[in-house]
Amino acid sequence: MDKFKTSTAKVDFPEKVRGEAKFTDDISFPDMLFAKTVRSTVARGKIKKITLPKMPEGYHWFCADDIKGENVVNIIFSDWPVFAAGRVKFIGESIGIFVGKDKEILDKLASEIKIDYEEETPVYELTESYIHKAFKKGDYEAAKAKAVKVIKHTYETGYQEQAYLENQGIICYFDENDKLTLTGSMQCPFYIKRAVMRSCGLKDDEVRVIQPAVGGAFGGKEHYPSMIGSQVAVAAIALHKPVKMCFERAEDITFTTKRHPSHSEYEALIDQDNNILGLKIRVGLNGGAYKGCSGVVLSRALIASSNAYVFENLDVVGDVYMTNTTPTAAFRGFGSPQTIFAMEMFIHHVAKELGVDPLELRFKYLAKQGDVTANNGHFHDPIVLKELMEKAMKMSDYKRKLKAYSKPGCNKGIGMSIFLHGCGFTGSGESDIIHGKVKLVKDEHDHVYCYAAPVDFGQGNRTTLKKIVSNTLGLPEDQVSFEAPDTDHTPDSGPTAASRTIIIVGFLFEKCAKHLKEIWKSGERQEYVEPYVGPSYIHWDEDTMQGDAYPGYSWGVNIVEVEFNPVTYQVSVLNTWSTYDVGRVVDERIAVGQADGGLLQGLGYGYLEEMKCVDGRMRNRNLSDYIIPTFEDAPHMETAFIDNPFIYGANGAKGMGELTLVGGAPAVALAIENAIGRKISKIPANPEYLMEVMKHEN
Amino acid sequence: MKINFNMNGKPVEIDVDPSMRFLDVVRDVLHLNGTKEGCGEGSCGACVVLMDGKSVNSCLLPVANAIGHDFVTIEGLKETKEFDILQQAFAEMGGSQCGFCTPGMIIAAYSLLKHNPYPTEAQVREEMSGNLCRCTGYQAIVEAVLKAAKKGAGLW
């Protein structure tokens, strides 16, 4: 029996099912105060004057003037102020916080504060590029000479809200040694620690961050908690009291970061034998008011823009545009769901236009081991994409259904997406920038404690990482513990992001456990710290975007079957069949859980979830008007894995958190195309859009 | 205003504003933190509790309407045999990831099985559709409820 794949008990399950796990809002301290944010009501302008209401005793106001360090949130590109400094750039930007004991009084103060603005004309269209990236492969211009046809299409994707069930929230307090400590709903404890150090002007040993139970994140808690953390820290330090700020749903949906809306233009050069000679790709992302991590999102969107296909000539350009709207940032997939949707639709649309079988056209350009990637690196490892496709097609009876559903009036459809996802930080970032470390400590009773920074916000990594250690050491699972990250005791193994937890941190734990095993002395306290050393053959230049974009890739296929209602234009997703190459699965039940949950988020992105921003204001305010899939929307899902062990992964495992989301939207969109016999070029393909498509082409 | 009801089998008397949300009474007055707030407007089901054996969104219930009723939260349910069957089924099928919706899911599943001990898959999906989960894709939860129905046959 394969002890790695066999499902093991999820370590955090008992306390969660019994309602005993402490999430942020379940934690309180004596003397704790609450904070309420005052937000900009204009999209762009100067703050002329702030008139505070009469402040009751014990109530306080904190704003940009109170910041002792730098007034920026420490993100990859730190342009977002902790509190607006003299000017505002979007509706909802934090201007300050009221702090005090009674939430109702805080709400009253927030409604009474008067802020005078000198308004400026806001920008809502994609016209002001503030990040620009480009790369080429081969010579697209020269290839034009051999082309007999040029095919162009445009694709659009909307916002997507993470919609984790637990809203954002942070508490800042002083620990038993009077050290400034933050706990809260987070993905990256060390990001918060560094952000608070920078905004409050504190040293490394003056800030501690501890992770409690976290109710979902999906990228939405990668950077935003650094802002809330900085804000409550400013107040907690000044008052020397615990300060808690937990958002309600409306505040969370309207003002926290979401997935970048995109607009992509694809152009293909076709020769006389219907070969695709090359692609010209232009991608625009709406970054909102501040850059934050948008540069990296763009980078990953462009790298993924030709998806799992290899073409000789590529001309790829992308921009992130500043608009006076809620900033967009990390969300599971990080740029690639937008371009993978566009590429999957485009290759299909090209095939249709050429009158060739889309499946054959896709097979012709599938990536193979040794191929040169879009960025002139190489696919170094074996690729089993063909096997994944064949297996998924067999599971779903794809070919028969595709033919049957193509008959007009049957109102059923089937669609397939093929996709890849780069695991870990781009290029050699893991070795050069992150320098992740993990630590194992063995006590006198030979019990082993695992220390690393990844936050388990549902993915199950407390269970899977612990399992990698216990299996490598050959110990029973109850002889190994994995504690939640606490920056005072945990080495910085990097953020919980980029599908890196298993492929990078898991690999580190496997190596660390092997080393501990070599020096193992029963009955003695021992510890071992393992630093990350990546594959030496990975070289990447971020400025030119040339080289190996990722240390490794995971691959997948989604097949989706839908039913279309020609009266209401509603789509029901009936069944899905998915196959994945994630190297080797660490725990079957957890892996299937990632596959199911990721795919449903991807499907929701494709046909259901719509967020609208009108005149700088988000129209959606709760889960009643931002619709995520329910029990009844969710299809029956079947998932299979094909082993393809990765030599730099724990027991061969690669990443899978994001992979499972990126194929959902194109698969459901292609299924809808099959059902209605019309082209889909925009998601979400909801009834309003489908009605437009049906009427327009009639 | 003095308000009386039963919570987890014990009589409770509290003196609060009658318009207070029952969710706030549960969490802030009675300190039963297993009941969660996800949306505050009855869309997500994270706050469901049993009211006379049926699941209700505690965020939509003013405490004045609680007078004289019997309530059970996850803290009360976790001592029962039915809970044990449900939690085992959730564990085996992988019905919980981040865990924030889980107490609400367990309450909703219990309420469903009490009224319909042998539900079909479609009935589980329909009757639990007031409870949102963003992690699992729901399939594991559906399988867990069906498994619990089978394993607890006769108990519900």
Side-chain angles (χ1 to χ4, degrees), chain A residues 324-335:
Chain A
N324 293 106
T325 57
T326 302
T328 45
F331 191 159
R332 194 177 196 174
F334 215 80

Side-chain angles (χ1 to χ4, degrees), chain A residues 221-483:
Chain A
K221 295 170 184 171
E222 187 170 336
H223 298 297
Y224 203 85
S226 295
M227 160 164 299
I228 320 175
S230 294
Q231 293 172 342
V232 290
V234 167
I237 294 167
L239 303 170
H240 203 80
K241 277 190 174 168
V243 178
K244 179 194 236 183
M245 179 151 65
C246 287
F247 285 1
E248 289 186 353
R249 182 61 63 179
E251 194 171 19
D252 197 298
I253 282 204
T254 318
F255 305 124
T256 68
T257 57
K258 9 216 125 270
R259 190 187 303 290
H260 296 69
S262 76
H263 174 96
S264 304
E265 289 165 18
Y266 275 65
E267 180 182 290
L269 300 177
I270 311 294
D271 75 3
Q272 57 197 10
D273 302 316
N274 285 339
N275 293 307
I276 300 175
L277 297 173
L279 297 184
K280 184 165 136 182
I281 299 169
R282 299 291 179 263
V283 178
L285 301 179
N286 182 348
Y290 294 103
K291 289 180 191 173
C293 67
S294 289
V296 188
V297 173
L298 177 67
S299 174
R300 296 189 77 119
L302 298 182
I303 294 165
S305 65
S306 45
N307 192 15
Y309 308 107
V310 173
F311 302 102
E312 268 180 45
N313 302 292
L314 290 171
D315 174 357
V316 180
V317 177
D319 290 274
V320 185
Y321 294 91
M322 193 291 295
T323 59
N324 293 106
T325 57
T326 302
T328 45
F331 191 159
R332 194 177 196 174
F334 215 80
S336 68
Q338 290 93 324
T339 50
I340 286 179
F341 164 73
M343 183 65 227
E344 282 299 272
M345 302 314 284
F346 186 58
I347 196 158
H348 213 77
H349 294 159
V350 167
K352 286 274 159 87
E353 213 150 315
L354 296 176
V356 301
D357 179 359
L359 195 57
E360 274 176 34
L361 192 68
R362 290 161 118 183
F363 264 122
K364 199 150 109 183
Y365 297 101
L366 280 189
K368 297 181 297 298
Q369 185 177 17
D371 278 350
V372 177
T373 67
N375 304 82
N376 295 305
H378 289 87
F379 287 114
H380 295 282
D381 305 299
I383 296 174
V384 295
L385 204 43
K386 237 177 173 163
E387 291 88 329
L388 292 174
M389 285 174 75
E390 274 156 8
K391 186 162 189 158
M393 287 195 285
K394 201 172 160 198
M395 282 159 66
S396 60
D397 197 9
Y398 175 78
K399 285 185 181 173
R400 186 191 63 78
K401 286 180 181 167
L402 183 71
K403 209 171 151 192
Y405 298 166
S406 298
K407 288 184 191 129
C410 110
N411 292 318
K412 281 179 108 179
I414 194 161
M416 170 166 58
S417 62
I418 303 157
F419 47 91
L420 82 177
H421 194 81
C423 305
F425 267 60
T426 34
S428 45
E430 293 291 347
S431 316
D432 301 344
I433 300 165
I434 302 291
H435 304 294
K437 284 185 211 68
V438 301
K439 182 165 82 173
L440 289 175
V441 176
K442 176 172 85 67
D443 69 9
E444 294 79 3
H445 310 289
D446 291 348
H447 190 96
V448 176
Y449 298 85
C450 312
Y451 293 95
V455 170
D456 190 338
F457 40 84
Q459 334 85 302
N461 50 263
R462 270 176 78 181
T463 308
T464 46
L465 292 175
K466 179 179 113 110
K467 184 173 178 176
I468 288 166
V469 172
S470 63
N471 281 356
T472 310
L473 287 169
L475 292 177
E477 292 206 16
D478 59 3
Q479 216 178 315
V480 180
S481 310
F482 189 101
E483 298 307 318

Side-chain angles (χ1 to χ4, degrees), chain A residues 20 26 609 624 629 637, chain B residues 27 36 41 78 134 138-139:
Chain A
E20 291 160 2
D26 304 330
E609 298 177 27
S624 53
M637 297 183 263
Chain B
R27 287 184 56 84
K36 307 295 179 193
E41 61 167 35
K78 73 184 178 189
R134 190 59 156 168
Y138 300 107
Q139 181 155 308

Side-chain angles (χ1 to χ4, degrees), chain B:
Chain B
M1 179 179 163
K2 287 231 165 77
I3 286 170
N4 293 278
F5 54 85
N6 287 321
M7 174 56 81
N8 296 329
K10 286 183 192 138
V12 171
E13 185 179 273
I14 50 169
D15 191 357
V16 293
D17 178 344
S19 69
M20 195 171 179
R21 303 186 305 171
F22 194 62
L23 171 61
D24 296 328
V25 170
V26 170
R27 287 184 56 84
D28 301 340
V29 180
L30 304 177
H31 305 292
L32 298 169
N33 284 335
T35 304
K36 307 295 179 193
E37 174 164 2
C39 72
E41 61 167 35
S43 300
C44 78
C47 72
V48 295
V49 297
L50 292 171
M51 180 177 179
D52 305 327
K54 280 186 110 171
S55 65
V56 294
N57 284 306
S58 64
C59 71
L60 297 180
L61 183 74
V63 68
N65 293 6
I67 296 171
H69 292 281
D70 282 315
F71 292 91
V72 178
T73 63
I74 194 72
E75 287 83 357
L77 197 68
K78 73 184 178 189
E79 308 304 335
T80 64
K81 265 189 208 158
E82 289 91 333
F83 170 84
D84 207 43
I85 288 170
L86 278 165
Q87 71 89 13
Q88 261 185 41
F90 269 64
E92 279 171 39
M93 305 321 292
S96 169
Q97 288 188 26
C98 83
F100 196 78
C101 74
T102 308
M105 287 290 177
I106 294 284
I107 296 273
Y110 175 89
S111 169
L112 160 69
L113 294 177
K114 274 287 174 202
H115 294 91
N116 181 2
Y118 303 101
T120 62
E121 181 181 336
Q123 285 169 336
V124 172
R125 287 186 183 272
E126 191 190 332
E127 296 206 26
M128 290 190 61
S129 65
N131 287 64
L132 295 178
C133 168
R134 190 59 156 168
C135 299
T136 62
Y138 300 107
Q139 181 155 308
I141 301 176
V142 173
E143 286 167 355
V145 175
L146 292 172
K147 185 162 193 152
K150 210 168 159 186
K151 217 172 161 194
L155 189 62
W156 311 106

